[in-house]
Amino acid sequence: MGKAEDTKARLERAALTLFVARGVAETTTKEIAMAASVAEGTIYRYFPSKEQLALDLFLRHHQGLAGALAEAQRPAMGLRAKIEAIVRCYCEWADRDWTLFAYHLLNQHSFLIEVPDDMANPVTVVRDVISQAMKADEIPRRNVDLVAASAIGVVMQSATYKVYGRFTGDLSDHVRFFADAAWAVLSVKEK
Amino acid sequence: MGKAEDTKARLERAALTLFVARGVAETTTKEIAMAASVAEGTIYRYFPSKEQLALDLFLRHHQGLAGALAEAQRPAMGLRAKIEAIVRCYCEWADRDWTLFAYHLLNQHSFLIEVPDDMANPVTVVRDVISQAMKADEIPRRNVDLVAASAIGVVMQSATYKVYGRFTGDLSDHVRFFADAAWAVLSVKEK
DNA sequence: CATTTATAAGTGAGCGGTCACTCAATTTCA
DNA sequence: TGAAATTGAGTGACCGCTCACTTATAAATG
């Protein structure tokens, strides 16, 4: 790794850690620089603004995750298998870089509006899989967005509670349960 | 309503609306005052700081919701009925004052650490109900926090997506589905 | 090789501007 | 008329960002 790339990476990691610990608005450029062991001005050799740095970090993970989920579900046959593939991939991403994952989770509100409509999107991947399964009558036909939200919530709320420290350990340890639970949500019979 | 109480209520409502629309850190005291049609200084007659105003709003809803959920589930017999009572109560609170609800939902991260341990807590209510049901062998025994998170996620993620505008309409219209889905999550068989 | 030249990377004091908060003066109203 | 409520210009702290300058690295030259 070149020296410049190393500096940039150190800045990103420092920013990420502080953003998760104290929030984006509450983190100063001076703090980021200190944590990365560079001068404040150096930040601006690599990023046009603090806001852009924050957005870069978010979008990179957002797109990466969306691509990975799309790849993961593709080879799986049938909704049940696709769900498990998606859940496994999601949990692995979370466990691999928990700080980045937590940052993405905690800052959706701020950045999601800045995501272009045509950009790969984790939610869309899930939504499409569910939509297909409804068309194929694998599960009852319902409001896709509502059902997708509920299924996604099974995993995402658990991840959120891990951020809060309400429980510990790898998310990947519970892939089977998450997949079963999400499947159960999607399969709820109409009355 | 006395004049002073009216002013305080207007300030709270103005702050709430702005906090939801633009975020707490991004909202200035000048904006709050303007939206409430008072001078900036008036804020400080009723609140010691902007931060305390934000915390007050959060805690009032947090405690109110916790109390309401505890009340709602008490008379219901059996886990299935308790879940439905909790879900219904939660959705009604959301629909009754959506701005306040959205504020609470979007700012958990910032304020949850400031909630005293002994304070009534919406999550604890749900957790305890599930814990009881496990003891009574109504549902499989599992990691309570994990299962509670997943069940709660069914409803909360849907609420979150409503905040994002991914779908519209009252949450209360879907109480039955949420209850069924949460129940399904809790009932997932161990393999 | 040594030496000059060119470019990239890093620095930190300081600037312009914002913002939460204060307070002396003014208005409201019982 | 006196206490309570309100006002808004003013204050000081802070913060993102700039920029003139230094230092490290690489390229060119003879």
Side-chain angles (χ1 to χ4, degrees):
Chain A
M1 196 191 288
K3 195 181 166 196
E5 277 154 23
D6 172 68
T7 304
K8 185 171 186 184
R10 282 215 321 283
L11 275 169
E12 285 178 340
R13 185 49 55 173
L16 197 60
T17 311
L18 286 164
F19 287 167
V20 169
R22 320 214 304 108
V24 174
E26 292 74 15
T27 300
T28 68
T29 49
K30 189 160 272 169
E31 284 175 316
I32 297 170
M34 272 186 51
S37 306
V38 296
E40 208 179 344
T42 304
I43 294 173
Y44 296 89
R45 294 247 170 242
Y46 298 96
F47 305 95
S49 70
K50 173 184 143 183
E51 206 48 47
Q52 190 63 46
L53 160 57
L55 184 59
D56 278 5
L57 287 169
F58 182 87
L59 286 185
R60 192 183 319 154
H61 186 257
H62 194 72
Q63 280 189 287
L65 180 60
L69 292 180
E71 269 308 297
Q73 67 78 213
R74 209 163 43 79
M77 284 303 171
L79 179 59
R80 188 67 217 330
K82 280 179 187 290
I83 289 174
E84 185 149 344
I86 287 174
V87 169
R88 170 159 291 115
C89 178
Y90 185 83
C91 290
E92 277 166 7
W93 270 64
D95 294 331
R96 189 179 314 138
D97 188 343
W98 180 254
T99 310
L100 183 56
F101 178 84
Y103 173 68
H104 183 256
L105 199 62
L106 295 175
N107 293 279
Q108 294 169 75
H109 325 333
S110 345
F111 295 123
L112 235 35
I113 37 167
E114 311 219 34
V115 177
D117 284 349
D118 59 338
M119 185 179 279
N121 189 137
V123 174
T124 315
V125 174
V126 177
R127 212 201 94 110
D128 289 350
V129 166
I130 294 174
S131 180
Q132 283 300 116
M134 282 188 185
K135 277 193 191 121
D137 282 319
E138 284 188 85
I139 52 170
R141 302 193 182 201
R142 276 214 184 77
N143 180 333
V144 187
D145 293 299
L146 181 73
V147 172
S150 294
I152 290 171
V154 167
V155 187
M156 273 192 55
Q157 195 63 28
S158 303
T160 305
Y161 280 14
K162 197 192 156 184
V163 173
Y164 293 167
R166 260 197 246 270
F167 67 81
T168 49
D170 283 359
L171 281 189
S172 301
D173 294 345
H174 308 288
V175 167
R176 176 63 65 79
F177 170 71
F178 291 143
D180 284 345
W183 169 258
V185 168
L186 296 175
S187 308
V188 164
K189 294 251 177 15
E190 292 186 276
K191 297 259 177 69
Chain B
M1 192 189 292
K3 194 180 166 195
E5 277 154 22
D6 172 67
T7 303
K8 186 172 184 182
R10 282 215 321 283
L11 275 169
E12 285 177 341
R13 184 50 54 175
L16 197 59
T17 310
L18 286 163
F19 287 168
V20 169
R22 320 215 304 109
V24 175
E26 292 75 14
T27 300
T28 69
T29 49
K30 187 159 275 171
E31 285 175 316
I32 297 170
M34 271 186 49
S37 306
V38 297
E40 211 178 342
T42 305
I43 295 173
Y44 295 89
R45 170 155 300 275
Y46 299 97
F47 305 95
S49 70
K50 173 185 144 183
E51 206 49 47
Q52 190 63 46
L53 161 57
L55 184 59
D56 278 4
L57 287 169
F58 182 87
L59 286 185
R60 190 183 321 153
H61 186 256
H62 194 71
Q63 280 189 286
L65 181 60
L69 292 181
E71 270 307 296
Q73 66 77 212
R74 209 163 42 80
M77 285 301 171
L79 178 60
R80 188 67 213 339
K82 279 179 188 290
I83 289 173
E84 185 147 342
I86 287 173
V87 169
R88 171 159 290 116
C89 177
Y90 185 84
C91 289
E92 276 165 8
W93 269 64
D95 294 330
R96 189 180 313 138
D97 188 344
W98 180 253
T99 311
L100 182 56
F101 178 84
Y103 173 68
H104 183 256
L105 197 64
L106 295 175
N107 292 281
Q108 295 169 74
H109 325 336
S110 343
F111 295 123
L112 236 35
I113 37 169
E114 311 218 36
V115 177
D117 284 351
D118 59 339
M119 184 179 279
N121 190 135
V123 175
T124 317
V125 174
V126 177
R127 213 202 94 109
D128 289 349
V129 166
I130 294 173
S131 180
Q132 284 299 118
M134 282 188 186
K135 277 192 190 120
D137 283 319
E138 284 187 85
I139 50 171
R141 301 192 183 204
R142 278 215 181 77
N143 180 333
V144 187
D145 293 299
L146 181 73
V147 173
S150 294
I152 290 171
V154 167
V155 187
M156 273 191 55
Q157 195 63 28
S158 301
T160 306
Y161 280 13
K162 196 191 156 185
V163 174
Y164 293 166
R166 259 197 245 270
F167 65 83
T168 49
D170 283 0
L171 280 189
S172 301
D173 294 343
H174 308 287
V175 168
R176 175 64 65 79
F177 169 71
F178 290 143
D180 284 345
W183 169 259
V185 168
L186 296 175
S187 307
V188 164
K189 295 251 176 19
E190 291 186 277
K191 298 259 177 69

